[in-house]
């Protein structure tokens, strides 16, 4: 039961159906790269789509060809909370990403040049619509569950609103129903850092054979800072010095400085994250506000959602605090929806949703057991609910 | 009683006594620019030194020659909480600053070139030592009070520790006994933004006739973001749009984005803040940790302080939260010091210490009335306590 998933080969879906974007533009065709784990059952009733967060990708579990372990490998695999002996798990790189799905670093078929800044803005709803093409391609009428943390949780909410009959369960983790002004402000500073880097070349850095590394590194340092809690940084780094003595110069003096600097550097160089993708993802976050078209009433926005919900928040998450999850839970309860909620004690801030945690894992396992039980008793004719 | 201070002319003190800096370096001579308000009484017992914060300067009250109103004018003046009819108020620009005191933008007398990055690092203790020269110059044996918010509050703490017999009252507002790892991390990102700006030229931007505007603007945007509370940004900006419609492009879309962008731009261009000064001030903040040399025990550090204290914090300040003020208050109480503490309800985050607030003003006035009463009954022979 506890063997690993082994090496996973990503797959590519070419979608030829034009995608009508929220912005009014149309993407005539696009690729989605994705991975799957476990086996789809006979009536395709055991499929789970995992939606990734800002800097995530389709490689959520197992090992890739380079030996890299998936970003949520601790929670997905044989015998793990999302048990691949029971479920067929799917994860795709978001449209506009830079890990294999069509995005700003892809070739624009109309010009045969890299899209760069000409890649159209996509929104959370556009992601959901593109993921719906993947659903159809895989022959899945209804997802057993949609699962996502942070920006991934927002996609789960959007699925529950836009395609209520296409999912039975919605797991919304460390998310919010919309960004606050402060959230937007942090994104704006990160974007300014990228766009003011002379190597950005107004988004045409690939054509210029350059990378806005400094801007990307700054954006990542800042992002990373907001994923960690003050408590966690305090207990991990305190005011520990890099050298034994205070140096009284402008180099990194404290451990936390070199840690952040390393995170920024890694993101901008080794991980080679596309700067335009970073802009696009943060903008999609800013724009996310499903209640807006329902008189800014989240209860109304979720009125037609029929999925059962698990909402999880973490005590020291100040990016999307427990209060933001409460908003979601309240709106669901207003609609008499079936909702479970857990506020998990953790010192790890927003990052907690990716990390081992006994309570979190217990909640996750217990909820997933409910899904396994449902599968066992469900009629095998595709009518699940 | 309520007339204004009118136009204030700054004064310059040339100090020829070499300053032995914490770093081990020596500053052979330096200038301090300062302003004074009100009249020093016969026995020089009514003097109050105001210490400024990161981006502040010596112009704390009244109008300058350009009509600019001081940064704390609401609290200092005739009939105001720090009543210039009663007190002689002094405020100097910190050493290493860029408003007239010797700093990185000054001429290095040894080379006849701008100091730039060669200006030695100064610490909070160095500031206090330089301010002590100003005290002697003004013929003041003992300050009636030291007053400061944020970084200013740290200087007040340092005064109370290093020169216990040179002040009777210490007003420590929205401060902390040292920076947390998160505080340091924010400073580190701001410094990275400045230092990675190609216009920074390793600190020699003045020689190169350039200004690292983008880096400064980013640093300021980020700093500003941490001075405001999430609540305040929410109620001030919410998710209000700049235009009526969502634009789906990378320009500023929400009000909060243009606000922050304006703040950054103003700081970097109109205010013309020196980038090396910004680095130096944030480093001095990082280094501030008076307990370090007392076995990291703040109680021990404050054991010799004889001043009476007023400590003030603000409920939504997440840069230096009320808990950080509690640390100071507890250490003072451990020493059976005379301490008053107020936790002021405000939605304005760290910025609250600069803004009008009825409770804050009430606390401030009540405490200052105590000082006025002390002056009235004190013997006029210089023996105040």
């Amino acid at each position: 039961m506890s063997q690993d998933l082994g090496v996973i080969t990503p797959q590519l879906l070419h979608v030829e159906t034009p995608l009508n974007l929220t912005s009014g533009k149309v993407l005539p065709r696009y690729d989605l790269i994705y991975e799957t784990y476990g086996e789809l059952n006979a009536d395709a009733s055991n499929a789970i789509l995992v939606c990734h967060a800002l800097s995530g990708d389709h490689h959520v579990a197992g090992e890739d060809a380079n030996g890299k372990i998936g970003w949520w490998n601790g929670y997905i695999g044989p015998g793990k909370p999302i048990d691949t002996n029971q479920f067929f798990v799917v994860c795709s790189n978001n449209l506009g990403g830079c890990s294999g799905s069509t995005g700003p670093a892809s070739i624009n078929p109309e010009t045969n040049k890299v899209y760069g800044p000409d890649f159209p803005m996509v929104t959370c709803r556009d992601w959901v619509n593109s993921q719906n093409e993947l659903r159809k391609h895989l022959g899945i009428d209804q997802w057993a569950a949609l699962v996502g943390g942070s920006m991934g949780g927002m996609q789960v909410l959007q699925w529950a609103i836009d395609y209520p009959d296409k999912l039975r369960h919605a797991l919304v983790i460390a998310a919010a129903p919309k960004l606050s002004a402060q959230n937007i402000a942090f994104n704006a500073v990160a974007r300014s850092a990228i766009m003011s880097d002379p190597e950005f070349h107004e988004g045409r850095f690939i054509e210029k054979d350059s990378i806005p590394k400094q801007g990307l590194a700054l954006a990542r340092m800042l992002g990373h800072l907001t994923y960690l809690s003050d408590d966690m940084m305090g207990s991990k780094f305190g005011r520990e010095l890099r050298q034994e003595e205070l140096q009284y110069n402008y180099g990194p003096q404290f451990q936390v400085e070199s840690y952040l600097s390393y995170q920024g550097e890694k993101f901008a160089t080794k991980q080679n994250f596309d700067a335009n993708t970073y802009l696009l993802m943060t903008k999609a976050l800013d724009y996310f506000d499903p209640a807006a078209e329902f008189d800014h009433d989240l209860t109304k926005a979720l009125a037609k959602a029929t999925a059962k919900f698990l909402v999880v928040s973490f005590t020291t998450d100040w990016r999307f605090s427990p209060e933001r999850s409460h908003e979601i839970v309240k709106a669901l309860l207003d609609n008499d929806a079936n909702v479970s909620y857990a506020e998990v004690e953790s010192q790890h801030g927003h990052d907690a949703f990716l990390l081992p945690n006994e309570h979190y894992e217990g909640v996750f396992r217990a909820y997933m057991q409910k899904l396994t039980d449902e599968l066992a008793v469900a009629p095998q004719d595709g009518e699940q609910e």
Side-chain angles (χ1 to χ4, degrees), chain A:
Chain A
M1 284 292 277
S2 68
Q3 81 264 23
D4 274 336
L5 285 165
V7 178
I8 307 293
T9 308
Q11 300 165 66
L12 204 65
L13 170 67
H14 303 278
V15 182
E16 291 288 337
T17 315
L19 187 65
N20 295 310
L21 302 169
T22 311
S23 65
K25 292 190 179 167
V26 178
L27 202 62
R29 66 190 74 84
Y30 56 95
D31 292 345
L32 288 182
I33 195 167
Y34 65 99
E35 290 183 1
T36 71
Y37 323 87
E39 300 291 330
L40 189 62
N41 63 7
D43 64 349
S45 64
N46 71 334
I48 292 178
L49 179 68
V50 178
C51 301
H52 71 69
L54 179 52
S55 60
D57 58 25
H58 55 289
H59 182 46
V60 63
E63 231 181 289
D64 72 8
N66 301 317
K68 192 182 161 198
I69 302 297
W71 53 266
W72 223 12
N73 193 56
Y75 287 89
I76 300 172
K80 292 180 182 173
I82 300 182
D83 188 349
T84 50
N85 290 324
Q86 302 290 340
F87 295 98
F88 175 66
V89 180
V90 181
C91 185
S92 65
N93 182 217
N94 284 14
L95 195 63
C98 52
S99 303
S101 290
T102 301
S106 306
I107 298 296
N108 181 348
E110 286 174 24
T111 62
N112 280 321
K113 284 186 182 173
V114 168
Y115 275 107
D118 302 329
F119 191 80
M121 184 75 72
V122 298
T123 64
C124 202
R125 168 165 281 162
D126 299 330
W127 286 331
V128 166
N129 286 335
S130 66
Q131 288 157 355
N132 192 44
E133 296 298 320
L134 179 58
R135 179 190 64 76
K136 291 190 268 182
H137 167 75
L138 294 170
I140 296 159
D141 180 56
Q142 188 182 54
W143 300 104
L146 260 289
V147 184
S150 191
M151 191 179 91
M154 294 171 171
Q155 294 163 67
V156 175
L157 278 176
Q158 193 76 54
W159 262 99
I161 292 166
D162 288 353
Y163 294 99
D165 59 335
K166 297 301 175 197
L167 68 157
R168 295 199 296 282
H169 293 273
L171 282 74
V172 179
I173 302 167
K178 65 184 176 198
L179 261 56
S180 69
Q182 189 189 61
N183 293 148
I184 293 172
F186 273 113
N187 282 345
V189 178
R191 283 193 297 266
S192 284
I194 291 172
M195 294 166 75
S196 68
D197 186 326
E199 300 297 322
F200 180 64
H201 297 292
E202 299 189 312
R204 306 208 181 272
F205 48 89
I206 295 178
E207 286 178 55
K208 302 268 182 185
D209 201 23
S210 72
I211 299 173
K213 277 183 205 166
Q214 302 283 13
L216 265 171
L218 281 171
R220 180 59 168 178
M221 286 169 81
L222 182 54
H224 204 81
L225 188 41
T226 67
Y227 305 151
L228 305 180
S229 72
D230 195 8
D231 281 1
M232 179 270 161
M233 293 185 101
S235 61
K236 186 165 178 178
F237 304 108
R239 295 176 54 89
E240 290 301 311
L241 300 176
R242 289 184 64 219
Q243 298 99 336
E244 271 185 37
E245 294 274 313
L246 290 170
Q247 300 297 313
Y248 301 107
N249 62 33
Y250 293 103
Q253 179 71 77
F254 297 95
Q255 294 287 6
V256 65
E257 294 180 86
S258 20
Y259 170 78
L260 263 193
S261 174
Y262 169 77
Q263 294 294 333
E265 173 77 11
K266 191 175 74 169
F267 188 68
T269 55
K270 287 188 200 150
Q271 202 169 329
N272 198 16
F273 201 89
D274 183 72
N276 286 317
T277 288
Y278 200 90
L279 299 182
L280 181 147
M281 298 275 170
T282 57
K283 271 287 182 179
L285 278 166
D286 289 2
Y287 285 127
F288 178 70
D289 185 9
E293 60 194 284
F294 295 90
D295 306 323
H296 296 280
D297 181 340
L298 189 61
T299 300
K300 281 190 199 169
L302 285 164
K304 288 188 178 158
T306 52
K308 294 173 183 168
F309 278 80
L310 172 65
V311 178
V312 180
S313 69
F314 299 91
T315 50
T316 55
D317 183 351
W318 61 279
R319 190 175 173 95
F320 298 140
S321 71
E323 286 69 31
R324 310 308 310 280
S325 284
H326 295 175
E327 296 172 35
I328 300 169
V329 172
K330 279 184 208 163
L332 289 166
L333 290 177
D334 283 344
N335 287 311
D336 289 323
N338 184 321
V339 53
S340 303
Y341 173 60
E343 200 159 310
V344 174
E345 195 84 37
S346 165
Q347 66 158 351
H348 290 283
H350 189 59
D351 255 5
F353 87 88
L354 294 166
L355 299 173
N357 178 307
E358 207 173 332
H359 178 201
Y360 178 32
E361 190 179 326
V363 164
F364 215 146
R365 270 188 193 280
Y367 197 89
M368 292 307 294
Q369 187 57 50
K370 195 163 84 170
L371 270 76
T372 307
D373 295 347
E374 282 177 10
L375 275 186
V377 300
Q380 292 294 308
D381 59 3
E383 291 293 321
Q384 292 297 330
E385 298 253 11

